[in-house]
Amino acid sequence: MTRFIHTWLFHHTLKPLILVLPTLYFTLSVEAQDKGYYTRYYSDKSLKKQAAEWCATDQWRQGFTGASPHRSVNLTEFYRQYQKNPTQWEALFKWLATTDLVNIPKGRHPIEGTTLTASVEDSHNEPLEKRRSESHSHHIDFQYVVKGTERFGLIDHYTSTPDCKYDARKDVIHYSYDKGRTQFYDSTPDRFFIFFPGDWHIAKVNNDSGNQDIRVIVIKVDYID
């Protein structure tokens, strides 16, 4: 009798579930790919809430009030990296808060007390086809446009493939990508961008304003696993 009950349960409950799981997984995978994958995903809702609350308190600013994170910034990654590497992040924001970013000479400027260097670039945007996508494994790109408008692109991981080998010396890899699956954002002086290793990006893309001249601050922060 017990054996009969076990057999009945398998055929009427477990077996149908087992048969449907591959289809369900495939459906979810297709839906995820349709939406694209642009930054590292965190499923821990408590951690995401904690990160959002921390960002909202402005504890990280160190007196810097010139700009806030763009909505594309992965706040959970920002929170986790700041906690793991407070010395560099605190020094970065203190430097931004105490420096005349518009009038400081272009070039490379060491950030006191750290190994960080702020690169001040007077540059210009270019057509998308002239710009290369990239990501980094060991560094985080902090980018803040203090004059003009720079357009950034975030490329979809699902539809992108590396078009070169990883260059360990420069800590960079480039990608072939689907333009139609790329998200574009304009960077202005009231927002800064942070590109973590999971953010495959394109910088200095032409915007629609007609003025492509920019001054941008680029600081590469160590990424802590």
Side-chain angles (χ1 to χ4, degrees):
M1 181 65 177
T2 301
R3 183 178 179 182
F4 171 78
I5 292 173
H6 287 171
T7 302
W8 186 91
L9 286 172
F10 175 79
H11 282 282
H12 289 80
T13 58
L14 296 180
K15 187 176 180 180
L17 180 60
I18 292 171
L19 290 173
V20 79
L21 281 176
T23 302
L24 178 60
Y25 175 78
F26 176 78
T27 301
L28 292 175
S29 298
V30 170
E31 289 179 353
Q33 292 185 29
D34 284 344
K35 294 178 180 178
Y37 180 43
Y38 298 92
T39 190
R40 181 173 179 176
Y41 176 72
Y42 287 94
S43 59
D44 188 336
K45 293 182 179 180
S46 176
L47 176 62
K48 292 166 69 173
K49 180 181 178 182
Q50 188 175 358
E53 291 175 348
W54 171 81
C55 288
T57 64
D58 291 344
Q59 296 175 7
W60 50 270
R61 286 187 176 275
Q62 304 298 319
F64 174 66
T65 58
S68 297
H70 185 265
R71 61 185 177 86
S72 65
V73 172
N74 188 324
L75 295 183
T76 306
E77 277 276 63
F78 182 32
Y79 170 68
R80 292 181 71 249
Q81 288 300 310
Y82 200 108
Q83 308 310 311
K84 291 181 177 182
N85 191 12
T87 300
Q88 288 191 347
W89 285 104
E90 289 173 4
L92 181 155
F93 284 108
K94 285 179 182 177
W95 184 85
L96 292 174
T98 57
T99 302
D100 183 348
L101 302 175
V102 174
N103 295 306
I104 187 174
K106 67 179 181 179
R108 295 172 62 81
H109 300 269
I111 296 180
E112 186 177 356
T114 73
T115 58
L116 298 178
T117 299
S119 178
V120 180
E121 303 175 11
D122 289 327
S123 188
H124 59 274
N125 303 313
E126 295 182 314
L128 178 62
E129 56 270 17
K130 291 188 176 183
R131 304 302 304 164
R132 298 188 76 181
S133 61
E134 64 181 29
S135 71
H136 316 287
S137 294
H138 303 295
H139 294 92
I140 301 162
D141 268 353
F142 178 93
Q143 301 212 22
Y144 177 34
V145 174
V146 297
K147 185 187 295 184
T149 300
E150 178 179 2
R151 179 164 292 176
F152 290 111
L154 281 175
I155 66 174
D156 170 38
H157 292 210
Y158 290 130
T159 53
S160 301
T161 55
D163 63 8
C164 69
K165 292 183 177 180
Y166 169 69
D167 186 332
R169 185 177 65 86
K170 296 182 178 179
D171 185 32
V172 67
I173 188 168
H174 304 288
Y175 302 88
S176 296
Y177 63 94
D178 182 347
K179 178 182 176 181
R181 297 287 293 265
T182 302
Q183 297 179 343
F184 292 98
Y185 302 103
D186 284 351
S187 177
T188 50
D190 61 334
R191 293 288 183 267
F192 59 79
F193 283 69
I194 308 178
F195 300 108
F196 300 96
D199 304 317
W200 304 356
H201 56 283
I202 314 165
K204 297 181 181 177
V205 179
N206 277 354
N207 63 70
D208 298 329
S209 71
N211 182 2
Q212 307 304 329
D213 295 328
I214 57 172
R215 163 165 279 215
V216 58
I217 312 296
V218 180
I219 304 173
K220 290 187 176 294
V221 183
D222 292 336
Y223 183 78
I224 309 299
D225 289 328

